[in-house]
Amino acid sequence: MTKHQNNKEQAILAAAKEEFLDKGYDGARTTSIARNAGVTHAMLHYYFKTKEQLFERIFHENMGMLVEGILKVFAKTEKPFKQRMAEALEIHFEVIRQNPRLPLFMIREVASRPKRFAVIKNVISTFAGNLLATMQKDINQAASNGEISHIDATTLLLDMISLNVLPFVVKPVYEAATGLDMNSDSTFWEQRKAENIELIMRRLTPTQDSSQFIVHSS
C-alpha cells in the first residue's frame, strides 16, 4: 500500500470511528463516513467492502488500543508485580479518558446486536485470552514469593475494568446531579485514577496463607 493509499485508509478509519461512536452501528452511514473522510463513496467501498467490515476493523483496533499497552507493561518482568499493575491501571484509565465515549459504545454494540456478537466475542477473546494468561502466570509467581495476596486474573481484570470504566459511563448522571462539568475538571480525574490504583493495591496486599490458593495456568 502506498503512502497516499494509507493516508486515505486512515482518514476513512478516523471518520468511521467518530460516526460509530456518535451513532452506533445502526445509525452510522457510510455516505457520512465518506464525506467526513474526504473520499467518494465508491472509494470507501474500495477499501472496505461493507459497513460490517469497517465496524469490525474499528472494534478490533479499539480493543487493541485498550489491551496492548497493558501487555507491554506486564512484559517488563524485572519490575515487581504491584508496580506493573499500578502502571497497567494508569494506562487503561488514560486510554479511556482520551476516548470517553468508547465504553458506552462497546457496551451498546455488544448488547444491542446479538447476531454480530459472535464476531465481537472472537475479538475480545483473542485479546483477553493473551492478557489473562500473562497476568495469571505473574500473579502465581508473585504470590508464591509473598509479594502479593493471590487473586484470580479474571477477577483482577474485572476489578480494574469496573473501577476505570464506571466513572465514564455514569458521567452524564453525575454531572446532572452535581452541576459539575467533569470535562474541564482534571483534578477530579487524577483523584479518581489515584483512588482506583489505591483500591487495587490494597487488594493485592499479602495475607496469610494466600499462596495456597494459586491457580495454575493450563
Side-chain angles (χ1 to χ4, degrees):
M1 182 180 292
T2 67
K3 184 177 180 180
H4 176 74
Q5 289 174 320
N6 185 63
N7 289 341
K8 290 292 185 184
E9 182 181 61
Q10 291 306 310
I12 292 169
L13 289 170
K17 180 178 178 180
E18 290 302 309
E19 183 81 2
F20 285 127
L21 287 176
D22 282 342
K23 302 174 183 177
Y25 181 87
D26 290 333
R29 296 290 178 266
T30 53
T31 50
S32 296
I33 294 171
R35 182 174 62 253
N36 293 331
V39 301
T40 65
H41 199 230
M43 183 174 289
L44 182 146
H45 284 290
Y46 169 79
Y47 287 97
F48 300 96
K49 302 300 182 186
T50 65
K51 185 170 76 167
E52 181 84 14
Q53 185 184 57
L54 185 52
F55 176 86
E56 288 175 19
R57 174 74 175 271
I58 296 295
F59 194 91
H60 193 281
E61 289 192 354
N62 280 277
M63 278 299 300
M65 180 174 59
L66 285 170
V67 175
E68 286 172 3
I70 299 173
L71 283 171
K72 288 180 181 178
V73 168
F74 278 104
K76 300 175 181 178
T77 54
E78 72 280 1
K79 294 184 178 181
F81 181 83
K82 288 179 74 172
Q83 182 179 343
R84 283 182 285 157
M85 191 66 215
E87 290 179 12
L89 272 158
E90 183 167 7
I91 288 171
H92 184 254
F93 188 93
E94 287 300 329
V95 168
I96 299 173
R97 187 177 178 180
Q98 296 302 316
N99 300 270
R101 294 173 294 168
L102 189 57
L104 275 176
F105 162 74
M106 296 178 72
I107 293 169
R108 181 178 63 233
E109 294 306 319
V110 167
S112 67
R113 295 189 63 81
K115 291 182 179 179
R116 204 174 59 249
F117 182 66
V119 174
I120 293 173
K121 182 180 179 181
N122 287 337
V123 173
I124 294 174
S125 296
T126 299
F127 284 112
N130 293 336
L131 179 57
L132 287 171
T134 299
M135 288 179 66
Q136 192 65 67
K137 179 181 177 181
D138 290 350
I139 287 169
N140 289 348
Q141 184 62 53
S144 295
N145 296 339
E147 298 172 28
I148 64 170
S149 176
H150 191 269
I151 184 171
D152 181 74
T154 303
T155 299
L156 183 58
L157 185 61
L158 182 60
D159 288 344
M160 180 181 78
I161 293 172
S162 301
L163 286 168
N164 281 349
V165 167
L166 185 61
F168 297 94
V169 172
V170 303
K171 176 177 171 287
V173 177
Y174 186 85
E175 288 180 327
T178 62
L180 297 175
D181 178 4
M182 294 168 68
N183 288 332
S184 61
D185 189 355
S186 60
T187 301
F188 172 88
W189 294 114
E190 289 301 317
Q191 290 175 341
R192 185 68 254 169
K193 179 171 63 178
E195 179 73 10
N196 292 352
I197 292 173
E198 165 118 12
L199 288 169
I200 294 295
M201 293 303 102
R202 287 184 181 180
R203 171 60 183 86
L204 292 174
T205 299
T207 57
Q208 287 186 344
D209 299 325
S210 62
S211 61
Q212 66 179 305
F213 300 108
I214 291 175
V215 177
H216 296 285
S217 303
S218 57

